[in-house]
Amino acid sequence: AFAFKREKLVPEPVVSRATDYLQTGRFREALTMLSEPGSESDFATVLKASLERASGGHEAMQAGLEQAATEVMASRVRRVEILNVIGQVSPMLGLFGTVYGMILAFQSIVTSGGNADPVLLAGGIGTALVTTFWGLVVAIPALAGYAVLRGRLDATLAEAFGEAETLVERFRPRASRDKDRE
């Protein structure tokens, strides 16, 4: 959760400095600043990947931005995906225990010839309920945490990519920009 804070993904000072440098035509300074210690962020990674392709024109810059954005998103999602896996697998483990507990309960009925000892029957049913309970205790917070973190991550990365895309748009040929406004 701390790694997905806005300040770490889209730090305002880095966005402001990059905007200032690019608005005043200090392209090299912007690239240098994006590589400096303390400027590390998803915004800096994406913008830097785009600016490094400036010699290929706006389309190359846009492609660099999109490629870097895809890589950053995949990297970030991998870090939170474990919660999704835990949330999906733990009910299955609970179900496994439920089935095992029911097998124990039915075996006690069979062993007793149809007159099951309530204590043996309760033991199997208890096993079934306990494993289901713990499967849900693990799954519910894991899936809730995954949903919250994934939502925060998606929103923050969309902001980072949007900021970078706005800055890269300045490099689009004027005729193309004018044509899009019509």
Side-chain angles (χ1 to χ4, degrees), residues 20-108:
D20 180 50
Y21 287 144
L22 294 175
Q23 283 178 340
T24 56
R26 297 181 290 169
F27 178 82
R28 296 259 180 248
E29 288 178 57
L31 260 176
T32 302
M33 182 272 300
L34 293 170
S35 301
E36 290 174 353
S39 294
E40 302 94 357
S41 64
D42 292 346
F43 166 78
T45 300
V46 171
L47 183 59
K48 184 177 174 213
S50 180
L51 294 177
E52 287 173 341
R53 291 168 177 78
S55 62
H58 180 262
E59 290 198 17
M61 292 175 74
Q62 191 68 32
L65 185 140
E66 290 170 8
Q67 179 182 355
T70 300
E71 291 170 6
V72 165
M73 184 67 156
S75 171
R76 291 287 183 181
V77 167
R78 272 193 303 276
R79 294 175 69 184
V80 73
E81 190 63 31
I82 189 68
L83 288 175
N84 188 32
V85 171
I86 290 169
Q88 298 294 326
V89 171
S90 56
M92 298 301 172
L93 292 173
L95 181 61
F96 177 78
T98 300
V99 170
Y100 177 70
M102 294 310 292
I103 289 170
L104 292 177
F106 285 118
Q107 280 180 340
S108 73

Side-chain angles (χ1 to χ4, degrees), residues 105-155:
F106 285 118
Q107 280 180 340
S108 73
I109 294 172
V110 170
T111 307
S112 67
N115 296 322
D117 177 7
V119 172
L120 292 177
L121 196 56
I125 293 171
T127 298
L129 293 175
V130 165
T131 58
T132 302
F133 171 79
W134 284 110
L136 293 173
V137 163
V138 171
I140 292 168
L143 289 174
Y146 172 75
V148 167
L149 289 175
R150 181 65 195 260
R152 183 185 305 169
L153 178 63
D154 288 346

